[in-house]
């Protein structure tokens, strides 16, 4: 009963966010809605593309420094992973952690999360695995697991998908969730040459384009809209002024889309802005985090300076 109510609320929120986003002068859709089961699978394919450097770079940084990262987390910590996805990177950390009190992967993509958590629990039989299907931008309950310290693990540069004010809000929430002395192990994608950034979001095989268009497929299926996904072109580019990759879906022609009694008109060339992916400099990020109650005390990067993993301590 409770979960039926929760899924009704999620559905209603999805409808309200889509209606509001498509009613703005620059049409917008929140990027968290990319991740239904198909979207999570498409994201996994993105992580394996030759152009998409973030995943393999972060994995390499994790592989090289996992022991030092685990030492920062400390013994008997409760590890809470935000936007956990397929639970790949955390395995490198779990292999080094001393007597972790438990592992709580949090993700909105419920079916995908539950499947990945079952597999992880089978591979780590002594570990308490407690998946939580939730939107981490809203309050959610942690299981009552006694631990020496709480550590949030937030890899993938998913923090980059939030506008600066939202990111600050999220950092503040994390600081309160872990409490004074608690930790945050965070992956951030760094500023780099446009010649590296833009191909990562415009891959030759068109997987990122399919990931972007899947949002329209999902809106059709779950909200009864009549988007023709083929009538929207994928566009991704680096916005220098804002230090972010922007993804858009561009209407190929003048067209109208219906959704539950509402009609949305598109001019030819008009776009829906579907995602931002901010790129940071480590020192600048550390400064922002300090203002949100988190002090950066270790940073690990790759030789090219493409990606950083940072440990921060809550100083509330
Ligand atoms: N951590 C993985 C996956 C990154 S993809 C990695 O580093 O490869 C981003 C993940 O965050 C997806 O699994 C998506 O479902 C999840 N996600 C995005 N916004 C979310 C939100 N607001 N609440 C919970 N999960 C979210
Ligand atoms: C999850 N997130 C950090 C990815 C990114 O790079 O911003 C999502 C993504 N969008 C297109 N490709 C990957």
């Amino acid at each position: 009963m409770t979960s039926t109510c929760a899924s009704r609320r999620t559905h209603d929120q999805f409808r309200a966010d889509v209606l509001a986003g498509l009613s703005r002068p620059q049409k917008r859709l929140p990027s968290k809605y990319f991740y239904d089961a198909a979207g999570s699978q498409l994201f996994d394919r993105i992580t394996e593309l030759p152009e998409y450097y973030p995943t393999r770079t972060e994995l390499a940084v994790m592989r090289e420094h996992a022991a030092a990262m685990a030492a920062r987390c400390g013994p008997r910590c409760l590890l809470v992973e935000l936007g956990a996805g397929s639970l790949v990177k955390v395995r490198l950390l779990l292999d080094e952690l001393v007597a972790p009190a438990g592992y709580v992967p949090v993700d909105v993509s419920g079916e995908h999360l539950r499947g990945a958590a079952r597999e992880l629990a089978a591979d780590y039989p002594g570990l308490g695995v407690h998946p939580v299907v939730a939107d981490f931008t809203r309050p959610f309950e942690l299981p009552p697991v006694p631990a020496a310290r709480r550590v949030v693990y937030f890899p993938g540069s998913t923090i980059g998908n939030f506008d600066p004010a939202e990111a600050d809000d999220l950092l503040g929430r994390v600081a309160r969730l872990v409490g004074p002395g608690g930790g945050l192990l965070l992956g951030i994608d760094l500023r780099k040459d446009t010649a590296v950034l833009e191909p990562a979001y415009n891959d030759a095989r068109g997987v990122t384009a399919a990931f972007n268009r899947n949002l329209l497929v999902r809106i059709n299926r779950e909200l009864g809209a009549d988007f023709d996904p083929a009538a929207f072109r994928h566009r991704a580019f680096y916005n220098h002024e804002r230090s972010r990759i922007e993804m858009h879906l561009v209407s190929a022609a003048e067209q109208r889309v219906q959704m539950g009694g509402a009609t949305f008109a598109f001019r030819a060339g008009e776009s829906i802005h579907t995602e931002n992916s901010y790129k940071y400099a480590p020192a600048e990020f550390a400064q922002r985090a300090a203002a949100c109650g988190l002090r950066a005390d270790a940073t690990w990067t790759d030789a090219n300076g493409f990606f950083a993993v940072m440990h921060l301590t809550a100083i509330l």
Side-chain angles (χ1 to χ4, degrees):
M1 185 64 186
T2 313
S3 84
T4 311
C5 289
S7 79
R8 181 83 241 160
R9 265 201 310 277
T10 308
H11 183 268
D12 291 349
Q13 187 65 53
F14 182 27
R15 179 190 303 281
D17 287 345
V18 170
L19 288 173
L22 294 181
S23 303
R24 291 168 59 156
Q26 165 62 71
K27 295 180 171 65
R28 284 231 50 174
L29 289 170
S31 59
K32 68 181 173 192
Y33 294 121
F34 279 136
Y35 303 94
D36 61 355
S40 293
Q41 280 177 18
L42 284 163
F43 179 76
D44 280 352
R45 285 179 57 202
I46 288 175
T47 64
E48 285 167 12
L49 293 167
E51 297 95 334
Y52 194 73
Y53 64 85
T55 305
R56 63 170 179 281
T57 310
E58 185 176 22
L59 275 170
V61 174
M62 294 279 308
R63 250 180 234 116
E64 193 175 342
H65 300 288
M69 293 174 188
R72 286 277 171 185
C73 295
R76 292 180 295 106
C77 73
L78 178 68
L79 193 66
V80 180
E81 180 170 2
L82 302 185
S86 293
L87 320 188
V88 173
K89 293 166 188 165
V90 73
R91 288 167 183 257
L92 297 168
L93 197 58
L94 290 172
D95 290 343
E96 298 291 341
L97 281 178
V98 175
Y103 171 53
V104 184
V106 181
D107 206 289
V108 272
S109 192
E111 190 185 323
H112 192 84
L113 175 66
R114 280 188 278 264
R118 265 195 304 276
E119 282 178 27
L120 185 120
D123 294 341
Y124 291 81
L127 180 70
V129 179
H130 315 275
V132 172
V133 179
D135 178 341
F136 58 62
T137 62
R138 307 181 67 83
F140 63 91
E141 292 287 315
L142 281 184
V145 178
R149 184 176 188 241
R150 285 180 175 178
V151 177
V152 162
Y153 178 46
F154 195 15
S157 199
T158 302
I159 188 82
N161 296 134
F162 293 87
D163 285 338
E166 296 168 337
D168 288 353
D169 194 56
L170 192 50
L171 290 170
R173 258 173 202 283
V174 167
R176 289 189 295 277
L177 185 75
V178 297
L184 167 63
L185 190 65
L186 177 73
I188 52 174
D189 196 14
L190 303 180
R191 291 202 190 111
K192 59 185 68 63
D193 202 321
T194 311
V196 178
L197 283 169
E198 288 190 338
Y201 295 82
N202 289 287
D203 65 280
R205 284 171 226 179
V207 183
T208 311
F211 174 72
N212 201 2
R213 283 198 196 94
N214 178 59
L215 189 46
L216 304 184
V217 176
R218 180 180 186 188
I219 291 170
N220 283 349
R221 190 185 58 248
E222 295 187 22
L223 303 178
D226 66 353
F227 276 106
D228 173 7
F232 287 83
R233 185 173 58 80
H234 166 75
R235 176 164 188 247
F237 61 93
Y238 188 59
N239 179 334
H240 279 274
E241 213 176 298
R242 299 235 166 131
S243 297
R244 69 189 193 197
I245 287 280
E246 292 186 16
M247 288 211 316
H248 294 253
L249 286 164
V250 183
S251 180
E254 188 177 320
Q255 56 182 315
R256 283 172 183 276
V257 173
Q258 314 277 344
M259 193 182 113
T263 302
F264 299 100
F266 288 84
R267 299 182 305 278
E270 184 179 356
S271 81
I272 313 173
H273 186 175
T274 52
E275 188 182 58
N276 288 319
S277 194
Y278 284 84
K279 311 302 168 187
Y280 288 101
E284 170 213 346
F285 193 88
Q287 216 172 357
R288 304 190 69 85
C292 304
L294 290 158
R295 188 189 55 230
D297 41 31
T299 303
W300 301 272
T301 57
D302 57 297
N304 291 320
F306 278 7
F307 200 96
V309 179
M310 212 175 248
H311 180 272
L312 305 101
T313 300
I315 42 158
L316 298 162

